[in-house]
PDB file of all heavy atoms in Angstrom:
ATOM      1  N   THR A1430     103.876 108.184 123.397  1.00  0.00           N
ATOM      2  CA  THR A1430     102.438 107.961 123.205  1.00  0.00           C
ATOM      3  C   THR A1430     101.661 108.237 124.488  1.00  0.00           C
ATOM      4  O   THR A1430     100.608 108.888 124.445  1.00  0.00           O
ATOM      5  CB  THR A1430     102.147 106.534 122.700  1.00  0.00           C
ATOM      6  OG1 THR A1430     102.700 105.585 123.598  1.00  0.00           O
ATOM      7  CG2 THR A1430     102.703 106.320 121.314  1.00  0.00           C
ATOM      8  N   GLN A1431     102.155 107.780 125.618  1.00  0.00           N
ATOM      9  CA  GLN A1431     101.444 108.011 126.871  1.00  0.00           C
ATOM     10  C   GLN A1431     101.441 109.494 127.240  1.00  0.00           C
ATOM     11  O   GLN A1431     100.436 110.015 127.715  1.00  0.00           O
ATOM     12  CB  GLN A1431     102.054 107.177 127.997  1.00  0.00           C
ATOM     13  CG  GLN A1431     101.898 105.686 127.811  1.00  0.00           C
ATOM     14  CD  GLN A1431     100.451 105.248 127.789  1.00  0.00           C
ATOM     15  OE1 GLN A1431      99.731 105.385 128.771  1.00  0.00           O
ATOM     16  NE2 GLN A1431     100.020 104.721 126.659  1.00  0.00           N
ATOM     17  N   GLY A1432     102.545 110.182 127.010  1.00  0.00           N
ATOM     18  CA  GLY A1432     102.610 111.615 127.296  1.00  0.00           C
ATOM     19  C   GLY A1432     101.655 112.416 126.437  1.00  0.00           C
ATOM     20  O   GLY A1432     100.950 113.306 126.922  1.00  0.00           O
ATOM     21  N   VAL A1433     101.603 112.088 125.156  1.00  0.00           N
ATOM     22  CA  VAL A1433     100.696 112.795 124.241  1.00  0.00           C
ATOM     23  C   VAL A1433      99.242 112.492 124.594  1.00  0.00           C
ATOM     24  O   VAL A1433      98.391 113.395 124.617  1.00  0.00           O
ATOM     25  CB  VAL A1433     101.006 112.423 122.769  1.00  0.00           C
ATOM     26  CG1 VAL A1433      99.921 112.912 121.843  1.00  0.00           C
ATOM     27  CG2 VAL A1433     102.362 112.989 122.360  1.00  0.00           C
ATOM     28  N   LEU A1434      98.939 111.234 124.889  1.00  0.00           N
ATOM     29  CA  LEU A1434      97.566 110.858 125.245  1.00  0.00           C
ATOM     30  C   LEU A1434      97.110 111.525 126.539  1.00  0.00           C
ATOM     31  O   LEU A1434      95.978 112.025 126.619  1.00  0.00           O
ATOM     32  CB  LEU A1434      97.432 109.340 125.362  1.00  0.00           C
ATOM     33  CG  LEU A1434      97.443 108.564 124.052  1.00  0.00           C
ATOM     34  CD1 LEU A1434      97.535 107.066 124.324  1.00  0.00           C
ATOM     35  CD2 LEU A1434      96.198 108.874 123.220  1.00  0.00           C
ATOM     36  N   THR A1435      97.965 111.549 127.548  1.00  0.00           N
ATOM     37  CA  THR A1435      97.559 112.176 128.803  1.00  0.00           C
ATOM     38  C   THR A1435      97.417 113.690 128.651  1.00  0.00           C
ATOM     39  O   THR A1435      96.486 114.282 129.206  1.00  0.00           O
ATOM     40  CB  THR A1435      98.536 111.847 129.947  1.00  0.00           C
ATOM     41  OG1 THR A1435      99.863 112.192 129.568  1.00  0.00           O
ATOM     42  CG2 THR A1435      98.462 110.382 130.324  1.00  0.00           C
ATOM     43  N   ALA A1436      98.305 114.308 127.890  1.00  0.00           N
ATOM     44  CA  ALA A1436      98.185 115.749 127.650  1.00  0.00           C
ATOM     45  C   ALA A1436      96.926 116.046 126.847  1.00  0.00           C
ATOM     46  O   ALA A1436      96.199 117.006 127.146  1.00  0.00           O
ATOM     47  CB  ALA A1436      99.422 116.275 126.923  1.00  0.00           C
ATOM     48  N   GLY A1437      96.661 115.215 125.841  1.00  0.00           N
ATOM     49  CA  GLY A1437      95.436 115.401 125.050  1.00  0.00           C
ATOM     50  C   GLY A1437      94.190 115.253 125.902  1.00  0.00           C
ATOM     51  O   GLY A1437      93.221 116.011 125.758  1.00  0.00           O
ATOM     52  N   ALA A1438      94.204 114.299 126.811  1.00  0.00           N
ATOM     53  CA  ALA A1438      93.066 114.106 127.707  1.00  0.00           C
ATOM     54  C   ALA A1438      92.899 115.303 128.636  1.00  0.00           C
ATOM     55  O   ALA A1438      91.775 115.747 128.894  1.00  0.00           O
ATOM     56  CB  ALA A1438      93.234 112.824 128.506  1.00  0.00           C
ATOM     57  N   ALA A1439      94.005 115.860 129.128  1.00  0.00           N
ATOM     58  CA  ALA A1439      93.937 117.027 130.009  1.00  0.00           C
ATOM     59  C   ALA A1439      93.363 118.230 129.273  1.00  0.00           C
ATOM     60  O   ALA A1439      92.519 118.959 129.810  1.00  0.00           O
ATOM     61  CB  ALA A1439      95.317 117.350 130.570  1.00  0.00           C
ATOM     62  N   VAL A1440      93.792 118.437 128.035  1.00  0.00           N
ATOM     63  CA  VAL A1440      93.268 119.546 127.235  1.00  0.00           C
ATOM     64  C   VAL A1440      91.794 119.307 126.926  1.00  0.00           C
ATOM     65  O   VAL A1440      90.978 120.234 126.973  1.00  0.00           O
ATOM     66  CB  VAL A1440      94.095 119.725 125.937  1.00  0.00           C
ATOM     67  CG1 VAL A1440      93.445 120.731 125.002  1.00  0.00           C
ATOM     68  CG2 VAL A1440      95.519 120.150 126.282  1.00  0.00           C
ATOM     69  N   TYR A1441      91.435 118.067 126.647  1.00  0.00           N
ATOM     70  CA  TYR A1441      90.038 117.711 126.381  1.00  0.00           C
ATOM     71  C   TYR A1441      89.170 118.002 127.604  1.00  0.00           C
ATOM     72  O   TYR A1441      88.086 118.595 127.479  1.00  0.00           O
ATOM     73  CB  TYR A1441      89.943 116.238 125.990  1.00  0.00           C
ATOM     74  CG  TYR A1441      88.554 115.768 125.712  1.00  0.00           C
ATOM     75  CD1 TYR A1441      87.893 116.131 124.540  1.00  0.00           C
ATOM     76  CD2 TYR A1441      87.884 114.961 126.618  1.00  0.00           C
ATOM     77  CE1 TYR A1441      86.602 115.704 124.283  1.00  0.00           C
ATOM     78  CE2 TYR A1441      86.597 114.528 126.376  1.00  0.00           C
ATOM     79  CZ  TYR A1441      85.955 114.901 125.196  1.00  0.00           C
ATOM     80  OH  TYR A1441      84.681 114.481 124.955  1.00  0.00           O
ATOM     81  N   VAL A1442      89.633 117.614 128.774  1.00  0.00           N
ATOM     82  CA  VAL A1442      88.887 117.888 130.005  1.00  0.00           C
ATOM     83  C   VAL A1442      88.730 119.390 130.197  1.00  0.00           C
ATOM     84  O   VAL A1442      87.650 119.877 130.541  1.00  0.00           O
ATOM     85  CB  VAL A1442      89.589 117.239 131.226  1.00  0.00           C
ATOM     86  CG1 VAL A1442      89.019 117.755 132.540  1.00  0.00           C
ATOM     87  CG2 VAL A1442      89.465 115.723 131.154  1.00  0.00           C
ATOM     88  N   ASN A1443      89.799 120.134 129.948  1.00  0.00           N
ATOM     89  CA  ASN A1443      89.739 121.586 130.060  1.00  0.00           C
ATOM     90  C   ASN A1443      88.674 122.158 129.135  1.00  0.00           C
ATOM     91  O   ASN A1443      87.891 123.018 129.541  1.00  0.00           O
ATOM     92  CB  ASN A1443      91.109 122.191 129.746  1.00  0.00           C
ATOM     93  CG  ASN A1443      91.084 123.700 129.793  1.00  0.00           C
ATOM     94  OD1 ASN A1443      90.862 124.361 128.788  1.00  0.00           O
ATOM     95  ND2 ASN A1443      91.297 124.243 130.977  1.00  0.00           N
ATOM     96  N   GLN A1444      88.623 121.680 127.912  1.00  0.00           N
ATOM     97  CA  GLN A1444      87.639 122.183 126.953  1.00  0.00           C
ATOM     98  C   GLN A1444      86.219 121.784 127.348  1.00  0.00           C
ATOM     99  O   GLN A1444      85.285 122.562 127.181  1.00  0.00           O
ATOM    100  CB  GLN A1444      87.965 121.687 125.543  1.00  0.00           C
ATOM    101  CG  GLN A1444      89.182 122.343 124.951  1.00  0.00           C
ATOM    102  CD  GLN A1444      89.054 123.851 124.882  1.00  0.00           C
ATOM    103  OE1 GLN A1444      88.072 124.390 124.371  1.00  0.00           O
ATOM    104  NE2 GLN A1444      90.030 124.559 125.430  1.00  0.00           N
ATOM    105  N   LEU A1445      86.053 120.578 127.877  1.00  0.00           N
ATOM    106  CA  LEU A1445      84.727 120.164 128.358  1.00  0.00           C
ATOM    107  C   LEU A1445      84.245 121.092 129.465  1.00  0.00           C
ATOM    108  O   LEU A1445      83.069 121.489 129.485  1.00  0.00           O
ATOM    109  CB  LEU A1445      84.761 118.727 128.876  1.00  0.00           C
ATOM    110  CG  LEU A1445      84.777 117.618 127.852  1.00  0.00           C
ATOM    111  CD1 LEU A1445      84.878 116.265 128.556  1.00  0.00           C
ATOM    112  CD2 LEU A1445      83.535 117.652 126.980  1.00  0.00           C
ATOM    113  N   ILE A1446      85.138 121.425 130.383  1.00  0.00           N
ATOM    114  CA  ILE A1446      84.773 122.318 131.481  1.00  0.00           C
ATOM    115  C   ILE A1446      84.411 123.700 130.950  1.00  0.00           C
ATOM    116  O   ILE A1446      83.399 124.285 131.344  1.00  0.00           O
ATOM    117  CB  ILE A1446      85.905 122.387 132.524  1.00  0.00           C
ATOM    118  CG1 ILE A1446      86.031 121.038 133.237  1.00  0.00           C
ATOM    119  CG2 ILE A1446      85.672 123.507 133.530  1.00  0.00           C
ATOM    120  CD1 ILE A1446      87.253 120.901 134.107  1.00  0.00           C
ATOM    121  N   LYS A1447      85.206 124.217 130.033  1.00  0.00           N
ATOM    122  CA  LYS A1447      84.917 125.528 129.446  1.00  0.00           C
ATOM    123  C   LYS A1447      83.599 125.525 128.683  1.00  0.00           C
ATOM    124  O   LYS A1447      82.783 126.440 128.820  1.00  0.00           O
ATOM    125  CB  LYS A1447      86.040 125.952 128.493  1.00  0.00           C
ATOM    126  CG  LYS A1447      87.263 126.449 129.167  1.00  0.00           C
ATOM    127  CD  LYS A1447      88.256 126.903 128.116  1.00  0.00           C
ATOM    128  CE  LYS A1447      89.535 127.350 128.739  1.00  0.00           C
ATOM    129  NZ  LYS A1447      90.509 127.768 127.721  1.00  0.00           N
ATOM    130  N   GLN A1448      83.391 124.504 127.863  1.00  0.00           N
ATOM    131  CA  GLN A1448      82.184 124.438 127.037  1.00  0.00           C
ATOM    132  C   GLN A1448      80.927 124.249 127.882  1.00  0.00           C
ATOM    133  O   GLN A1448      79.850 124.697 127.491  1.00  0.00           O
ATOM    134  CB  GLN A1448      82.293 123.303 126.011  1.00  0.00           C
ATOM    135  CG  GLN A1448      83.427 123.457 125.024  1.00  0.00           C
ATOM    136  CD  GLN A1448      83.297 124.700 124.158  1.00  0.00           C
ATOM    137  OE1 GLN A1448      82.215 125.071 123.753  1.00  0.00           O
ATOM    138  NE2 GLN A1448      84.422 125.347 123.895  1.00  0.00           N
ATOM    139  N   SER A1449      81.060 123.600 129.017  1.00  0.00           N
ATOM    140  CA  SER A1449      79.897 123.385 129.878  1.00  0.00           C
ATOM    141  C   SER A1449      79.505 124.659 130.608  1.00  0.00           C
ATOM    142  O   SER A1449      78.425 124.737 131.175  1.00  0.00           O
ATOM    143  CB  SER A1449      80.176 122.274 130.891  1.00  0.00           C
ATOM    144  OG  SER A1449      81.101 122.723 131.867  1.00  0.00           O
ATOM    145  N   GLY A1450      80.386 125.646 130.610  1.00  0.00           N
ATOM    146  CA  GLY A1450      80.111 126.889 131.309  1.00  0.00           C
ATOM    147  C   GLY A1450      80.389 126.799 132.796  1.00  0.00           C
ATOM    148  O   GLY A1450      80.021 127.684 133.557  1.00  0.00           O
ATOM    149  N   TYR A1451      81.029 125.709 133.227  1.00  0.00           N
ATOM    150  CA  TYR A1451      81.332 125.531 134.639  1.00  0.00           C
ATOM    151  C   TYR A1451      82.242 126.651 135.139  1.00  0.00           C
ATOM    152  O   TYR A1451      82.078 127.158 136.224  1.00  0.00           O
ATOM    153  CB  TYR A1451      81.985 124.164 134.879  1.00  0.00           C
ATOM    154  CG  TYR A1451      82.237 123.871 136.325  1.00  0.00           C
ATOM    155  CD1 TYR A1451      81.182 123.571 137.185  1.00  0.00           C
ATOM    156  CD2 TYR A1451      83.519 123.897 136.844  1.00  0.00           C
ATOM    157  CE1 TYR A1451      81.414 123.315 138.522  1.00  0.00           C
ATOM    158  CE2 TYR A1451      83.755 123.639 138.179  1.00  0.00           C
ATOM    159  CZ  TYR A1451      82.703 123.344 139.014  1.00  0.00           C
ATOM    160  OH  TYR A1451      82.928 123.097 140.332  1.00  0.00           O
ATOM    161  N   ILE A1452      83.190 127.039 134.310  1.00  0.00           N
ATOM    162  CA  ILE A1452      84.048 128.181 134.632  1.00  0.00           C
ATOM    163  C   ILE A1452      83.439 129.380 133.930  1.00  0.00           C
ATOM    164  O   ILE A1452      83.539 129.529 132.720  1.00  0.00           O
ATOM    165  CB  ILE A1452      85.506 127.951 134.173  1.00  0.00           C
ATOM    166  CG1 ILE A1452      86.088 126.715 134.846  1.00  0.00           C
ATOM    167  CG2 ILE A1452      86.350 129.174 134.464  1.00  0.00           C
ATOM    168  CD1 ILE A1452      87.479 126.358 134.368  1.00  0.00           C
ATOM    169  N   LYS A1453      82.793 130.227 134.674  1.00  0.00           N
ATOM    170  CA  LYS A1453      82.079 131.377 134.114  1.00  0.00           C
ATOM    171  C   LYS A1453      83.055 132.375 133.506  1.00  0.00           C
ATOM    172  O   LYS A1453      84.062 132.717 134.105  1.00  0.00           O
ATOM    173  CB  LYS A1453      81.253 132.078 135.201  1.00  0.00           C
ATOM    174  CG  LYS A1453      80.215 131.172 135.822  1.00  0.00           C
ATOM    175  CD  LYS A1453      79.084 130.931 134.865  1.00  0.00           C
ATOM    176  CE  LYS A1453      78.010 130.130 135.593  1.00  0.00           C
ATOM    177  NZ  LYS A1453      77.351 129.178 134.796  1.00  0.00           N
ATOM    178  N   GLY A1454      82.716 132.827 132.312  1.00  0.00           N
ATOM    179  CA  GLY A1454      83.487 133.865 131.658  1.00  0.00           C
ATOM    180  C   GLY A1454      84.794 133.412 131.054  1.00  0.00           C
ATOM    181  O   GLY A1454      85.474 134.172 130.428  1.00  0.00           O
ATOM    182  N   GLU A1455      85.165 132.164 131.241  1.00  0.00           N
ATOM    183  CA  GLU A1455      86.447 131.667 130.726  1.00  0.00           C
ATOM    184  C   GLU A1455      86.463 131.700 129.210  1.00  0.00           C
ATOM    185  O   GLU A1455      87.451 132.074 128.604  1.00  0.00           O
ATOM    186  CB  GLU A1455      86.713 130.258 131.247  1.00  0.00           C
ATOM    187  CG  GLU A1455      88.091 129.754 130.970  1.00  0.00           C
ATOM    188  CD  GLU A1455      89.163 130.466 131.767  1.00  0.00           C
ATOM    189  OE1 GLU A1455      88.884 130.993 132.839  1.00  0.00           O
ATOM    190  OE2 GLU A1455      90.308 130.511 131.273  1.00  0.00           O
ATOM    191  N   SER A1456      85.373 131.308 128.560  1.00  0.00           N
ATOM    192  CA  SER A1456      85.360 131.253 127.096  1.00  0.00           C
ATOM    193  C   SER A1456      85.347 132.642 126.476  1.00  0.00           C
ATOM    194  O   SER A1456      85.778 132.826 125.359  1.00  0.00           O
ATOM    195  CB  SER A1456      84.146 130.452 126.612  1.00  0.00           C
ATOM    196  OG  SER A1456      82.962 131.069 127.068  1.00  0.00           O
ATOM    197  N   GLU A1457      84.875 133.653 127.208  1.00  0.00           N
ATOM    198  CA  GLU A1457      84.869 135.018 126.663  1.00  0.00           C
ATOM    199  C   GLU A1457      86.258 135.633 126.637  1.00  0.00           C
ATOM    200  O   GLU A1457      86.522 136.552 125.887  1.00  0.00           O
ATOM    201  CB  GLU A1457      83.939 135.922 127.484  1.00  0.00           C
ATOM    202  CG  GLU A1457      82.480 135.604 127.308  1.00  0.00           C
ATOM    203  CD  GLU A1457      81.861 135.052 128.580  1.00  0.00           C
ATOM    204  OE1 GLU A1457      82.354 135.376 129.684  1.00  0.00           O
ATOM    205  OE2 GLU A1457      80.910 134.292 128.470  1.00  0.00           O
ATOM    206  N   LYS A1458      87.175 135.132 127.487  1.00  0.00           N
ATOM    207  CA  LYS A1458      88.514 135.690 127.560  1.00  0.00           C
ATOM    208  C   LYS A1458      89.339 135.377 126.319  1.00  0.00           C
ATOM    209  O   LYS A1458      90.258 136.073 125.995  1.00  0.00           O
ATOM    210  CB  LYS A1458      89.249 135.167 128.800  1.00  0.00           C
ATOM    211  CG  LYS A1458      88.707 135.704 130.087  1.00  0.00           C
ATOM    212  CD  LYS A1458      89.503 135.132 131.252  1.00  0.00           C
ATOM    213  CE  LYS A1458      88.923 135.551 132.576  1.00  0.00           C
ATOM    214  NZ  LYS A1458      89.636 134.935 133.689  1.00  0.00           N
ATOM    215  N   GLU A1459      89.031 134.255 125.675  1.00  0.00           N
ATOM    216  CA  GLU A1459      89.878 133.827 124.560  1.00  0.00           C
ATOM    217  C   GLU A1459      89.345 134.261 123.242  1.00  0.00           C
ATOM    218  O   GLU A1459      88.295 134.538 122.959  1.00  0.00           O
ATOM    219  CB  GLU A1459      90.020 132.305 124.611  1.00  0.00           C
ATOM    220  CG  GLU A1459      90.698 131.911 125.894  1.00  0.00           C
ATOM    221  CD  GLU A1459      90.933 130.425 125.966  1.00  0.00           C
ATOM    222  OE1 GLU A1459      91.449 129.868 124.997  1.00  0.00           O
ATOM    223  OE2 GLU A1459      90.616 129.855 126.995  1.00  0.00           O
TER     224      GLU A1459
END
C-alpha cells in the first residue's frame, strides 16, 4: 500500500507539473 501510494503521488506530481506547463514542450512529446 505504501509503495503504490508513493508511486501514485509521484506520478500525480509529474502530471501536475506537465499540466501546469512548467516543463515546456513536455506534453507535446507524448
